Amino acid sequence: MDGDWVDRFERPLGWLAVPGLPLYLTGMTAAVAALSVFKPEFSGALVLEPTLLLRGQAWRALTFLIVPPPAGPLWLFLWLALVYSCLSALEAAWGEFKVTAYVLVGALCTVAGSLATGSRFDPSMIHLSSFLAFARLLPDREVLIMFVLPVKVRWLAALAGVLVAVEFVAEDMSGRAYILAGLASYLLFFGRGHYDDMKQAWRRRGR
């Protein structure tokens, strides 16, 4: 099963699990967005800036996860609702430890990629990774596009995968590192499952 290798670490590292992680991440992101309205420079103290991280501002290795994307209030609300839904579904399917590990792996890889390239990375790819995991576990779940059109998340995930692949090809080394780092959790948790799916499809085709 996808990501089963993580289960062996739960007994020795279970204390790392963050209870209510979906609510914590989305709630703190909403709080940062609200504070930034009155103090625009506030979010700048939280972003993943590698030069400042190396100067001792270690909190940036985690606080970048709660920096909101540049968006208006409505789109920010919809984005937070989607992130919360995806992480909550993962937590319900996996438990607190596994979903914490999923987010933590993405965060650590993103920090490593930022330090290696000297570029500022945001958490967008980590959130996309959570959506892809949600679509992998619950492919037939439907979302309403523009509150009207029901679409299964498997098709949205497929579209996102194509767009990311095109972006990966077009990007420079820093951009590619950003994409790979943010999607590291998905690749580690689900890469083997996709590989097995492709092998089975190839075998069926050869019959």
Side-chain angles (χ1 to χ4, degrees):
M1 188 174 178
D2 294 320
D4 278 354
W5 59 270
V6 180
D7 296 334
R8 72 187 69 173
F9 298 104
E10 185 166 4
R11 178 172 292 181
L13 298 177
W15 55 273
L16 287 173
V18 179
L21 181 62
L23 182 60
Y24 174 79
L25 279 180
T26 53
M28 291 296 291
T29 303
V32 171
L35 288 171
S36 296
V37 172
F38 303 100
K39 195 172 182 181
E41 67 274 16
F42 178 72
S43 62
L46 308 177
V47 298
L48 181 55
E49 179 61 61
T51 55
L52 297 177
L53 184 63
L54 291 173
R55 291 177 187 172
Q57 297 185 13
W59 65 84
R60 293 175 182 271
L62 288 177
T63 57
F64 83 99
L65 289 170
I66 59 172
V67 175
L74 176 60
W75 290 111
L76 180 61
F77 172 79
L78 294 175
W79 179 82
L80 288 173
L82 179 61
V83 171
Y84 177 78
S85 297
C86 292
L87 289 176
S88 295
L90 294 180
E91 187 178 59
W94 285 343
E96 293 173 351
F97 175 77
K98 202 166 184 177
V99 75
T100 300
Y102 190 86
V103 174
L104 186 59
V105 168
L108 291 175
C109 290
T110 298
V111 170
S114 178
L115 291 173
T117 61
S119 301
R120 178 188 292 185
F121 288 174
D122 63 42
S124 298
M125 281 295 157
I126 297 175
H127 295 311
L128 175 60
S129 176
S130 298
F131 172 73
L132 294 176
F134 167 68
R136 174 73 175 176
L137 293 178
L138 300 167
D140 294 322
R141 182 74 63 88
E142 292 184 341
V143 296
L144 293 178
I145 303 298
M146 302 302 293
F147 304 104
V148 177
L149 181 64
V151 179
K152 291 185 177 180
V153 293
R154 70 166 75 211
W155 304 119
L156 295 177
L159 176 60
V162 171
L163 293 176
V164 169
V166 171
E167 182 181 357
F168 182 83
V169 172
E171 282 287 352
D172 57 14
M173 291 302 295
S174 176
R176 291 174 182 174
Y178 164 67
I179 292 171
L180 287 176
L183 297 181
S185 293
Y186 186 82
L187 296 174
L188 288 172
F189 275 64
F190 298 100
R192 179 60 183 271
H194 281 295
Y195 176 71
D196 290 341
D197 289 346
M198 288 189 293
K199 284 201 305 182
Q200 292 178 8
W202 182 261
R203 288 171 182 167
R204 288 195 297 267
R205 185 180 179 182
R207 290 176 182 174

